[in-house]
Amino acid sequence: MVGVNQDWSYPMRREMQEILPGLYLGPYSAAMKSKLSILQKYGITHIICIRQNIEANFIKPNFQQLFRYLVLDIADNPIENIIRFFPMTKEFIDGCLQNGGKVLIHGNAGISRSAALVIAYIMETFGIKYREAFTYVQERRFCINPNAGFVHQLQEYEAIYLAKLTIKMMRPLSLQAGAIGGLKRTLDEPFYQNARFFWSCEEV
């Protein structure tokens, strides 16, 4: 991280940086009409545009015929509920990357709202905690600084996605248990019925 910090210069705040292969984070200035050639040079196919209503006059999806957009109405306000946008953002990014596309996520400055969404995506995708994900993103875009409310929600999100991950991991075990119960049925019908009830409860 020290080396990255030394290489970081203030003008880089106005550019986009690649956080993961095919996933870029930056400010609106990286998605303006004058930057079309750069977006095409980097192979961008999808753009997540983050703004609130009062910013709609100057933060716009400029190339709707060229790129696929997801426009999110999010205020850079500590009381804004940003967690509700995490699932749709992840679905949009996954859909892009799985089809060989590249996505740029931007707000106004590329520091708070867009950074929070990228951090959440990395947390859930790689099963890591907020602090690790924050450090990872900051090593690539040093100026990120999600507001205090977003940080709190990202820390809360750890428990949410880890619970989802645990459920996904338990489902194959439940299926395996059901298969074993099927074999047991021919030997001991009452046991099978009790076991089946237990496994169905576990799955719920």
Side-chain angles (χ1 to χ4, degrees):
M1 184 170 173
V2 174
V4 176
N5 292 0
Q6 290 174 344
D7 293 339
W8 180 267
S9 61
Y10 186 82
M12 293 175 71
R13 295 164 66 103
R14 296 193 291 272
E15 303 169 0
M16 63 181 181
Q17 283 79 40
E18 189 170 27
I19 308 302
L20 291 171
L23 172 59
Y24 292 79
L25 169 62
Y28 175 61
S29 59
M32 296 173 66
K33 289 183 177 179
S34 61
K35 300 298 175 64
L36 176 58
S37 61
I38 295 176
L39 293 171
Q40 292 177 325
K41 174 186 174 182
Y42 283 94
I44 299 299
T45 57
H46 294 58
I47 296 178
I48 298 178
C49 173
I50 304 162
R51 65 186 186 183
Q52 61 182 121
N53 288 336
I54 61 173
E55 298 173 309
N57 289 330
F58 64 92
I59 298 180
K60 302 176 181 180
N62 292 310
F63 313 106
Q64 294 188 66
Q65 294 181 337
L66 299 175
F67 307 123
R68 184 176 176 187
Y69 277 85
L70 174 63
V71 180
L72 302 177
D73 181 8
I74 306 175
D76 187 12
N77 187 317
I79 64 171
E80 177 71 272
N81 177 7
I82 198 170
I83 283 183
R84 63 195 169 110
F85 295 100
F86 293 167
M88 70 179 75
T89 301
K90 188 174 190 310
E91 182 180 357
F92 186 82
I93 296 172
D94 283 343
C96 168
L97 298 180
Q98 288 167 7
N99 287 296
K102 295 184 178 181
V103 58
L104 165 63
I105 304 178
H106 76 78
N108 184 12
I111 290 175
S112 182
R113 293 171 290 187
S114 53
L117 292 179
V118 172
I119 290 169
Y121 177 80
I122 289 175
M123 286 170 62
E124 185 166 1
T125 300
F126 298 100
I128 61 177
K129 294 186 176 181
Y130 163 73
R131 179 49 57 182
E132 294 173 83
F134 173 86
T135 300
Y136 179 88
V137 177
Q138 189 183 49
E139 286 176 348
R140 289 150 182 82
R141 182 168 173 78
F142 185 62
C143 62
I144 66 165
N145 186 26
N147 72 51
F150 292 171
V151 170
H152 181 68
Q153 291 178 68
L154 285 163
Q155 291 170 332
E156 285 185 335
Y157 195 58
E158 288 179 13
I160 296 172
Y161 79 79
L162 286 174
K164 287 165 59 178
L165 188 63
T166 301
I167 291 171
K168 286 181 181 179
M169 292 175 65
M170 287 177 64
R171 279 178 181 163
L173 295 176
S174 297
L175 291 173
Q176 290 174 21
I180 294 170
L183 293 174
K184 186 71 174 175
R185 181 177 184 178
T186 58
L187 301 176
D188 190 347
E189 182 72 24
F191 174 85
Y192 167 74
Q193 290 174 346
N194 292 336
R196 185 180 180 188
F197 176 75
F198 172 77
W199 290 318
S200 63
C201 289
E202 182 184 48
E203 232 176 74
V204 174

